[in-house]
Amino acid sequence: MTYPIRPISDEEWPQFSGVLAEAFNWTPHPTQSERWKANTEFDRTLAAFDGDLIAGVTGIHSFSMAVPGGTLPVAGVTAVSVLPSHRRRGILSQIMRRQLTDIRERGEAVAALYASEAIIYGRFGYGRAADNLAVRIPTHRSAFTAAAPSDPSLRVRVVKPAEVRSTLEELFASVMAERPGRYTRNEHFWNMSLADEEFDQQGAGSLRGFLVEDSSGARGYALFRVKATWGENGGPDGELQLRELYAIDPAAHALLWRAVLDRDLVTKVTADIPVDDPITQLLADVRQLNSRWGDELWVRLVSVDAALISRAYSAPVDVVIEVADDVCPWNAGRWRLTADTGSASCKPTDEAPDVSLPVSALGGAYLGAGSLAAQQAAGLLTEHSAGAVRSLATAMSWSPAPWAGFVF
């Protein structure tokens, strides 16, 4: 069946949000629903209709995202849901294809999302582009290496996050573009980041903060909650849940980590971090990270040529890429990518391919995670010219590793 698909009106919001609540098994507090609505770009929503019933939905956040070498307008795909009563009718496929066409017409070359289930989005051309470490650090085993940086001019100040919001916004803006995957936050994203009603706390207490400063001003911040618990013998067994930690230099970064790890009555610190976060090098005993790997951002090249010329490259490359893309047929074909560390060109060609790959492989490598060699080893792409995959993978690799850090 074909279902009519269009953006929703304000009056259709309750039904739109109801589909999300049903699909995600979520019962939002009315205030949460209002926040969510306030951050919804209604002209970028899509709903599939079965008569008067909304059966499937999605939306987009418009923002700039850091990519290797700069920033790029990116479509932040969100709220992808289908009613349980309407599964396996092709609704998701129809919505996703329509959305990708809309993104292209808007002139955005790249889409990104967080996947509720990792199995879903590869069939629509998304590739796993960033990874995440969930760490659990016991505070009594958290000593730093002797080489850890320090700066005697720095001091830590306890703050209430909402009261220093402008400082937090300025600090984040100053470091946003340094790591691929981070994206600009509008007013509503900051409202959600600092939200601190009882239902936001989920039993972990008020949102708390540290600022690291010197005489010239703030150099970093950390946001966290503390779940205060006590062990069987009556001793403290609190868990500090680190939500954000950003700093403009290594000494400030180290001092912020030291502040959260030294928190009184806390025996463990939990956090989601990039795979190359400095804490992975600062701990004297790296095994104390107790980390669990997971996927983070997924990226889709909506317009292959525009996307590939909109990022920087770590090494020169000249390669003909044969792209398979049955969802966005305008991408399918052969492209000659020629790039050095200062500029790039990507044009259609009839030349013989050096590499054949699905568009999802380019999406997975786009932010610099360097997955192409692994995909070759797994047999998921084909090399026609010896060394072509290594050349392309080296050029597309980037440091630091990609990571967004805040679900949209």
Side-chain angles (χ1 to χ4, degrees), residues 184-268:
T184 53
R185 296 183 187 176
N186 62 22
E187 174 188 0
H188 302 295
F189 275 116
W190 275 106
N191 289 344
M192 290 187 287
S193 176
L194 302 180
D196 203 27
E197 302 290 342
E198 185 176 355
F199 51 81
D200 298 306
Q201 298 172 10
Q202 299 182 346
S206 300
L207 187 67
R208 304 176 186 276
F210 287 135
L211 275 183
V212 163
E213 304 169 307
D214 62 13
S215 59
S216 63
R219 284 168 52 178
Y221 74 86
L223 303 179
F224 58 92
R225 301 184 190 276
V226 178
K227 188 174 183 179
T229 58
W230 302 85
E232 293 181 359
N233 64 354
D237 192 25
E239 176 186 342
L240 187 149
Q241 300 173 357
L242 182 61
R243 301 306 175 97
E244 297 186 25
L245 191 156
Y246 293 107
I248 63 175
D249 60 82
H253 193 280
L255 185 55
L256 281 167
W257 267 108
R258 196 68 266 156
V260 300
L261 290 166
D262 290 343
R263 180 83 176 188
D264 287 339
L265 308 183
V266 166
T267 60
K268 51 193 167 291

Side-chain angles (χ1 to χ4, degrees), residues 4 76 85 147:
S85 58

Side-chain angles (χ1 to χ4, degrees), residues 27-325:
T27 305
H29 187 280
T31 301
Q32 289 175 305
S33 184
E34 286 304 310
R35 289 182 198 152
W36 183 14
K37 180 180 179 181
N39 201 23
T40 296
E41 299 175 47
F42 278 76
D43 63 325
R44 305 209 72 180
T45 61
L46 289 175
F49 287 81
D50 183 2
D52 294 330
L53 176 70
I54 295 180
V57 300
T58 188
I60 287 174
H61 295 298
S62 307
F63 47 59
S64 292
M65 178 174 284
V67 301
T71 59
L72 185 68
V74 167
V77 175
T78 188
V80 181
S81 304
V82 176
L83 281 178
S85 58
H86 285 67
R87 295 177 67 234
R88 308 196 188 286
R89 299 191 191 184
I91 292 175
L92 179 61
S93 294
Q94 291 177 42
I95 289 177
M96 296 300 287
R97 288 172 182 269
R98 162 66 184 275
Q99 184 180 66
L100 287 167
T101 298
D102 289 354
I103 292 170
R104 183 191 185 214
E105 291 177 352
R106 194 180 178 100
E108 292 161 329
V110 175
L113 56 79
Y114 279 88
S116 57
E117 295 182 87
I119 198 171
I120 296 175
Y121 294 99
R123 57 190 164 121
F124 301 112
Y126 286 84
R128 193 185 79 233
D131 295 333
N132 181 79
L133 288 182
V135 300
R136 186 181 185 89
I137 307 172
T139 57
H140 70 289
R141 300 291 297 275
S142 66
F144 281 179
T145 177
S150 63
D151 183 341
S153 72
L154 293 177
R155 62 184 182 276
V156 177
R157 179 159 64 97
V158 176
V159 296
K160 293 183 177 180
E163 295 180 357
V164 292
R165 174 168 171 161
S166 61
T167 299
L168 304 182
E169 291 183 10
E170 291 171 7
L171 279 166
F172 180 79
S174 70
V175 301
M176 187 276 293
E178 294 176 0
R179 184 179 291 276
R182 289 180 189 160
Y183 58 92
T184 53
R185 296 183 187 176
N186 62 22
E187 174 188 0
H188 302 295
F189 275 116
W190 275 106
N191 289 344
M192 290 187 287
S193 176
L194 302 180
D196 203 27
E197 302 290 342
E198 185 176 355
F199 51 81
D200 298 306
Q201 298 172 10
Q202 299 182 346
S206 300
L207 187 67
R208 304 176 186 276
F210 287 135
L211 275 183
V212 163
E213 304 169 307
D214 62 13
S215 59
S216 63
R219 284 168 52 178
Y221 74 86
L223 303 179
F224 58 92
R225 301 184 190 276
V226 178
K227 188 174 183 179
T229 58
W230 302 85
E232 293 181 359
N233 64 354
D237 192 25
E239 176 186 342
L240 187 149
Q241 300 173 357
L242 182 61
R243 301 306 175 97
E244 297 186 25
L245 191 156
Y246 293 107
I248 63 175
D249 60 82
H253 193 280
L255 185 55
L256 281 167
W257 267 108
R258 196 68 266 156
V260 300
L261 290 166
D262 290 343
R263 180 83 176 188
D264 287 339
L265 308 183
V266 166
T267 60
K268 51 193 167 291
V269 171
T270 58
D272 288 322
I273 61 172
V275 295
D276 61 348
D277 189 279
I279 193 61
T280 64
Q281 306 302 314
L282 288 170
L283 287 178
D285 183 0
V286 70
R287 296 179 183 177
Q288 299 307 316
L289 281 171
N290 298 300
S291 59
R292 177 178 57 82
W293 171 91
D295 57 288
E296 209 225 12
L297 275 184
W298 292 66
V299 164
R300 214 286 184 198
L301 303 195
V302 181
S303 298
V304 164
D305 53 343
L308 290 179
I309 66 173
S310 297
R311 53 153 292 173
Y313 292 84
S314 293
V317 63
D318 188 351
V319 63
V320 175
I321 306 168
E322 185 173 51
V323 178
D325 192 344

